[in-house]
Amino acid sequence: MDSATDTPGSREGPSRSTTEATTDGLDRDALSPPLARKADLARESLAALDGAVIAFSGGVDSSVVAALAHDALGDDAVACTAKSETLPAAELDDAVRVAEEIGVRHEIVEFSELADPAFVANDGDRCYHCRTMRLGRMYETAAEMGIETVCDGTNASDPGEGHRPGLRAVEELSVRSPLLTHDIDKSEVREIADAYGLSVADKPSMACLSSRIPTGLEVTEERLTRVERAERVLRDRGFSQFRVRDHDGLARIEVAPEELADALDPGFADAVADRLREIGFDHVTLDLEGYRTGSVSPADEGENDGDETADRDGSRDRTEAETDGTGTDADGSAGQTLDLGREYPRGR
């Protein structure tokens, strides 16, 4: 069975006219002919469906799938965002905005990952438990609308990127992944998003808030809330690629290498340390190695927000087993973190 065409919910007989592909919002002249063909094939496979619910985070992957589905299916394409404790409010706002850009019908549904003890335990399969619940909620929504098919934004760069338990949930639930089926990788997804004129074409990856909590440390609403509030502080100060890792009361700030100089500014250090302590952290540190993915997760596990592939460069982890939770390595040597709440000699 061809997963791109012969699936439950496919139309009988010819699909919607492929000539419509030239009248949609995609600027094919901005793409190479092979990539334009891939995009058209993905669109045609979606046009063969009676309808589709797209697991939609507002990130670049799911936004491209939503745009292709909207072009192919019109009002029979529904972008669906699952609101839960692990989704930052700013990301929900972005999802609403990007859905409006695309013009696709947008539904917001709610569920709670914290209702599942397996998710709360935060073991190596946390992303599997999360994605199973999230996609299950998508299928419930689809059934209420009389739609059989759920699509997600898994792309061709995702398989083979280390420990990716979330992809197991996609396979088990028979979710369609048009980008993966048509061999569209992450860089090509961004090209297509740019050809659609989507504002998220260059948006940095953003995994769910639970990815900031070291494996083995329970995911709680208190920890998720203080991480979200802490990251809002960095966002409001103009940082673009960052994480605040919650080591049970110690905040470890990671920023992109090109933004590290701004984070080392004494004024930033003083203000942010004070603000994060007000939020509920006992200690505030700056990681001098900078932003990297999977730094509190099992070896080679990429972060994943449940419907959007994200943060998966296979970086080596710095887990609680490697540090004592204060930025000092387990062998007693100094870790590469700077305590933002400590006074350091500062040059003129």
Side-chain angles (χ1 to χ4, degrees), residues 234 237-239 241 253-270 272 286-291 338 340 346:
L234 295 184
R237 286 181 166 266
F239 288 87
Q241 187 73 78
I253 298 172
E254 298 176 6
V255 300
E258 60 271 20
E259 298 180 295
L260 188 57
D262 292 332
L264 288 168
D265 177 75
F268 168 85
D270 291 339
V272 170
L286 176 66
D287 194 322
L288 298 185
E289 291 185 84
Y291 166 72
L338 176 70
L340 297 188
R346 293 170 176 162

Side-chain angles (χ1 to χ4, degrees), residues 31-53:
L31 303 174
S32 67
L35 182 53
R37 179 58 178 159
K38 287 183 184 181
D40 284 340
L41 288 172
R43 179 190 182 280
E44 290 167 18
S45 71
L46 289 163
L49 303 173
D50 287 321
V53 167

Side-chain angles (χ1 to χ4, degrees), residues 135 166-175:
L135 291 172
L167 295 183
R168 179 157 51 98
V170 173
E171 294 172 1
E172 290 178 356
L173 293 172
S174 299
V175 174

Side-chain angles (χ1 to χ4, degrees), residues 127-190:
C127 288
Y128 169 77
H129 302 305
C130 171
R131 205 162 198 187
T132 297
M133 287 186 285
R134 188 177 298 268
L135 291 172
R137 191 70 182 89
M138 297 292 129
Y139 272 109
E140 290 174 5
T141 302
E144 292 168 1
M145 298 177 178
I147 296 173
E148 295 185 28
T149 304
V150 171
C151 300
D152 82 335
T154 301
N155 65 62
S157 297
D158 295 332
E161 292 280 358
H163 182 56
R164 300 298 305 282
L167 295 183
R168 179 157 51 98
V170 173
E171 294 172 1
E172 290 178 356
L173 293 172
S174 299
V175 174
R176 288 175 63 101
S177 302
L179 304 177
L180 175 62
T181 298
H182 296 283
D183 196 32
I184 300 173
D185 65 26
K186 186 69 174 188
S187 63
E188 292 174 325
V189 172
R190 293 193 183 279

Side-chain angles (χ1 to χ4, degrees), residues 231-246:
E231 292 195 345
R232 189 182 307 140
V233 172
L234 295 184
R235 185 177 296 107
D236 290 345
R237 286 181 166 266
F239 288 87
S240 60
Q241 187 73 78
F242 55 84
R243 296 288 186 269
V244 177
R245 312 291 187 182
D246 188 339

Side-chain angles (χ1 to χ4, degrees), residues 211 245 254 291-303 311-319:
S211 67
R245 312 291 187 182
E254 298 176 6
Y291 166 72
R292 61 206 186 281
T293 64
S295 66
V296 295
S297 303
D300 296 329
E301 177 184 347
E303 299 173 352
D311 294 349
R312 46 191 187 274
D313 66 359
S315 301
R316 182 174 181 272
D317 303 320
R318 287 174 54 87
T319 65

